[in-house]
Amino acid sequence: MAAPCVEPAKGGFSFENCSRNARFEQMGLKFPKAYKTGTTIAGVIYKDGVVLGADTRATEDTVVADKNCAKIHYISDNIYCCGAGTAADTEMTTQMISGQLELHRLATGRAPRVCTANRLLKQMLFRYQGYIGAALVLGGVDSTGPNLYSIWPHGSTDKLPYVTMGSGSLAAMATFEDRFKPNMTKEEAMKLVRDAIAAGIFNDLGSGSNVDLCVITKDKVEYIRPHEIANAKGVKQGRYLYKRGTTATLSSDVKKIEFDVIGTEVKTSAQPMDTQ
Amino acid sequence: MSGYPTLRPQPQFSKTIELPKGPYGVPDSMMHGFQASRVAADLTQAHPLQASEEQWLDHKLKMDFVMLKNSQGIQAPLKLKMEHFAASKMQRLPCLNSSNLMADILSGREELIGFEDILNNPAESEVMGQPHAMVERRMGLL
């Protein structure tokens, strides 16, 4: 606005175009679909920590937009978060909460807890009443032990030993309900999460490509990307380019391009100056 | 327990809107831009979250002050509100953007990162009013 007495905007979301968009929709204009991660994400608590798993497909309505996107986001050194829903929303939400948690850590001087991250996420998502489409699986190990939360877009959370979210969550949950037991070993837990994500990949159209895993224990984090390439792109069987001479040459004509030499430059190799 | 406000800020259903005064009694678009003449846009909501977002910080402070009043008595919010009032007076000229450092510290926003720091940050606003016109308007000379 180029007026002399313009008031500055307050910051945050701007609702200037909402009524214009509503009018466009009434007139019949179709909006572009958001880049969603129709997804399978899952998490499990085992003896020493937490295993988080995710597939790697991002869709845009019915087209695969990204064959290998990373859905396990960093929140802090001991806390990671998988995100399902609108890809931009999960990305920005987890980055903001990561920043807030870091500020909180600097202010309190203590290692962050998973319940703090959960509270921050839940309060932010409730504030926006579900318009931020981010369904998250938050897991980490802090001073109280391994913790796993699932967070829904409207702001409700659950603290559970095994959770799944996303469009493939039913397939993954079926695997968990069948084979979960408390205090598993690391190999059993990784196999279980891998099987759950694979169930989502093969039975849900919105999930696909590879399985990513993230194993969080008290001392270290293993971010295994990819853990398994479940859907490899096919390798071409032969060379399909045309051989030279396939197209017959009828006639050929060589024309010389005339050019003038404008200038010449002689470059010597750079020699260090003789300083004392 | 005396009057807690609602959990989320509710849209205010009755609001007095004063039209910005211009010559001949109509809102002056040359001075205040097109938004000045669209006063009716303030009454309806383009988006369900619009009213909630505008009042979010004020509402949070209101809730905090009511809880403080219930636990420590009226003196605590009185003192804090006085400090807030003093902080709100420390502003730059109307065309420039103030950092609001003291107000942020008092309300606790210096330890938070929200969407207002990332999206549409007023410090990175692309438009600026003319200093003379804005100061004249504030002093009532316009």
Side-chain angles (χ1 to χ4, degrees), chain A residues 196-253:
Chain A
I197 303 292
I201 285 175
F202 291 117
N203 296 303
D204 175 45
L205 284 179
S207 323
S209 296
N210 314 333
V211 179
D212 288 348
L213 284 190
C214 183
V215 183
I216 310 174
T217 47
K218 193 159 66 82
D219 309 314
K220 73 179 169 88
V221 171
E222 282 173 36
Y223 192 95
I224 309 167
R225 179 173 150 80
H227 173 66
E228 175 181 333
I229 300 185
N231 302 332
K233 241 180 127 178
V235 179
K236 286 195 184 139
Q237 304 268 344
R239 234 177 107 77
Y240 297 110
L241 298 174
Y242 290 109
K243 287 201 284 284
R244 269 186 170 271
T246 309
T247 312
T249 313
L250 295 180
S251 65
S252 67
D253 186 11

Side-chain angles (χ1 to χ4, degrees), chain B residues 71-89:
Chain B
S71 56
Q72 295 184 17
I74 191 74
Q75 50 86 23
L78 266 184
K79 278 192 201 152
L80 287 178
K81 275 205 165 154
M82 191 179 75
E83 291 178 13
H84 269 93
F85 179 73
S88 71
K89 291 293 181 191

Side-chain angles (χ1 to χ4, degrees), chain A residues 4-5 7 11-12 100 127, chain B residues 31 53 113 119-120 129-130 137:
Chain A
C5 294
E7 299 291 335
Q100 289 199 15
R127 173 175 171 177
Chain B
M31 199 49 69
E53 278 299 292
I113 297 177
L119 305 171
N120 279 337
Q130 284 176 15
R137 185 181 59 169

